[in-house]
Amino acid sequence: MVRCFLIHTVCSVSALGAGESRLLYSRLFGPDEGICSDRERGLSPEERRLVQKERIAVVARQVRSAVSLSREASSRVLVETVPGEETLALQEADSGVVRLRAGDPFSEEMSALWLGVQSLGFTLVCEPHENLLLAEGTLRNLTRHCLEHLHMLGQGSEVLLRSNRVDALLSRLLPHGQLLFLNHRFAQALEKEVAAYMAK
């Protein structure tokens, strides 16, 4: 099962300090019990929300570090693309997996799959036994739809204002945090459904 999906920054934004990452969108799946420690179960709903927010921020920072290391190691020049070149940006994206040890930040061990597209990071946090190849395909599909339909590469990205669109994508491509095995016909039907919804 996928525990959460994040969209966050992976490159410095002028308002951020070095090493910081701005969370643009997050969605948690499944019950809290699997990722909460015994101590946290007694917290109020507001305190639990703050603990979850900090956990997600820790994941975003770890992914940001992984993206930076990957880009430094490859010594590729990052070429900015413009709206309309989403497919090229996705092909050039850095990708990887970060193993999140038990207690850092979740009570159980997790895997964080990430894609670094320009200054944006797209991350899926999965349980350790999850099929990572299937999760990577789902993450690439989600990222492609976000880039194409929310115009995230251009100025004035709509992700903050149109989070309901991301929610709709997740409900179709990652229902309740479950990865879907898709045959060709079902994948085509899903693509048409998503395109019709996003065109509204």
Side-chain angles (χ1 to χ4, degrees):
M1 179 174 179
V2 173
R3 286 298 183 172
C4 61
F5 172 68
L6 315 174
I7 302 173
H8 53 94
T9 59
V10 292
C11 290
S12 59
V13 177
S14 58
L16 301 175
E20 289 186 52
S21 183
R22 176 177 291 159
L23 190 64
L24 302 175
Y25 176 89
S26 68
R27 169 87 177 269
L28 296 169
F29 299 101
D32 290 344
E33 288 75 32
I35 56 176
C36 288
S37 66
D38 292 333
R39 180 183 59 82
E40 293 164 4
R41 288 193 178 99
L43 298 177
S44 71
E46 180 62 21
E47 291 170 325
R48 276 181 125 175
R49 191 185 70 75
L50 291 173
V51 168
Q52 286 177 342
K53 187 176 178 182
E54 180 52 33
R55 276 197 183 108
I56 290 170
V58 167
V59 173
R61 286 192 298 268
Q62 289 186 9
V63 168
R64 183 188 190 285
S65 295
V67 172
S68 296
L69 287 172
S70 173
R71 288 179 177 172
E72 285 176 23
S74 70
S75 59
R76 260 190 315 134
V77 177
L78 190 64
V79 178
E80 290 290 320
T81 54
V82 294
E85 296 181 353
E86 289 85 3
T87 305
L88 177 62
L90 191 55
Q91 289 172 354
E92 298 285 320
D94 300 286
S95 63
V97 179
V98 175
R99 181 70 65 190
L100 304 171
R101 294 174 297 165
D104 185 27
F106 302 105
S107 60
E108 300 172 353
E109 183 177 302
M110 300 282 176
S111 298
L113 280 86
W114 55 266
L115 279 176
V117 183
Q118 311 253 330
S119 62
L120 296 173
F122 297 83
T123 305
L124 279 182
V125 176
C126 304
E127 293 176 346
H129 61 272
E130 198 57 79
N131 181 332
L132 294 183
L133 285 175
L134 182 59
E136 181 185 8
T138 301
L139 179 60
R140 284 190 177 276
N141 201 13
L142 278 168
T143 302
R144 178 176 58 83
H145 283 294
C146 285
L147 293 174
E148 289 175 358
H149 298 295
L150 299 177
H151 312 293
M152 297 178 74
L153 296 181
Q155 293 291 328
S157 170
E158 299 176 15
V159 69
L160 294 173
L161 300 175
R162 312 275 302 269
S163 62
N164 61 327
R165 299 278 174 151
V166 183
D167 287 337
L169 275 174
L170 290 172
S171 69
R172 286 165 174 81
L173 301 173
L174 196 63
H176 307 291
Q178 297 297 320
L179 295 170
L180 300 176
F181 286 96
L182 304 175
N183 65 27
H184 184 66
R185 187 172 291 162
F186 186 69
Q188 282 185 326
L190 204 54
E191 286 288 324
K192 287 180 183 175
E193 185 183 339
V194 167
Y197 177 81
M198 291 298 183
K200 290 180 184 177

